[in-house]
Amino acid sequence: METLKEHKDLLEVAEHFFDDGKLIQAISYATASLDLTISVAKGTIFDLKPNQDSSLEEFDGFIVQDEFGKQKVNVQISQELQRMQEILLCYALKIDYEKYFRYRSWVGYALITGDNTPDEKVKLSLEINNIEQDQARAALDYCQQLVQQIERKIEQFQTSFI
């Protein structure tokens, strides 16, 4: 559970950014915390861990064959399967998936750096110029509640197999 503690630390950093009026950074850190927590849940519940073969880390799609027998990458299939995986995870964790996907369509996903922080150069998919404090507060609250909910589910899942 040490990994989840690090993710919760990101929520504290998000609160500090919010208090300083840096709303985009606050949402970025909160979303990074959520994304990292979800990756722990995927690894714990579905046993989906990153591929250890570094040559496949850059792979972002499935190889399909067109009508002429030529192989090509189909990123759309990969994206659809990833969305299905997220829906299953929401179901397994008892997350309101409509609210979850509404948040994702508004905010997007964080690009996580090697030190488990969001890449400052990435601005997610937020409307940067029009973000308001109450929207940022709602995003932070949502991430905090969801991280806590997922953490409890992971603990339940882990203890049920001990």
Side-chain angles (χ1 to χ4, degrees):
M1 292 311 247
E2 186 63 32
T3 309
L4 287 177
K5 185 196 177 317
E6 293 171 8
H7 302 171
K8 289 175 82 173
D9 290 345
L10 292 176
L11 289 173
E12 290 180 28
V13 173
E15 284 293 338
H16 292 297
F17 276 125
F18 181 81
D19 292 342
D20 293 342
K22 298 177 180 177
L23 304 180
I24 297 299
Q25 291 90 338
I27 294 173
S28 294
Y29 271 78
T31 303
S33 174
L34 176 59
D35 288 351
L36 290 168
T37 303
I38 286 175
S39 71
V40 171
K42 284 180 182 178
T44 303
I45 294 172
F46 293 133
D47 197 28
L48 296 171
K49 295 179 177 48
N51 194 319
Q52 299 302 318
D53 182 1
S54 61
S55 65
L56 296 177
E57 286 179 13
E58 297 174 13
F59 180 71
D60 197 17
F62 282 85
I63 304 293
V64 295
Q65 195 169 23
D66 67 12
E67 62 273 10
F68 304 109
K70 187 175 180 181
Q71 291 185 343
K72 61 182 181 177
V73 174
N74 188 321
V75 177
Q76 184 179 4
I77 292 174
S78 178
Q79 291 170 339
E80 289 299 319
L81 288 173
Q82 188 174 16
R83 183 171 169 87
M84 288 170 40
Q85 189 182 79
E86 280 187 285
I87 291 170
L88 284 172
L89 188 65
C90 287
Y91 180 75
L93 297 173
K94 296 187 178 11
I95 294 172
D96 180 346
Y97 69 88
E98 288 180 15
K99 189 174 182 180
Y100 174 79
F101 282 108
R102 200 172 325 121
Y103 177 80
R104 289 302 195 181
S105 66
W106 178 62
V107 173
Y109 296 80
L111 178 61
I112 311 297
T113 63
D115 63 351
N116 285 344
T117 60
D119 188 333
E120 296 291 334
K121 297 177 285 241
V122 176
K123 295 300 183 193
L124 304 174
S125 62
L126 294 168
E127 302 247 345
I128 307 282
N129 298 322
N130 298 328
I131 185 94
E132 296 178 12
Q133 191 165 4
D134 60 336
Q135 292 173 314
R137 181 75 263 161
L140 261 62
D141 290 345
Y142 178 74
C143 286
Q144 288 170 340
Q145 292 167 2
L146 205 49
V147 165
Q148 291 171 357
Q149 178 182 342
I150 293 169
E151 185 179 66
R152 285 191 300 272
K153 290 291 179 185
I154 290 171
E155 287 172 355
Q156 289 173 354
F157 185 81
Q158 288 176 332
T159 57
S160 67
F161 289 102
I162 294 179

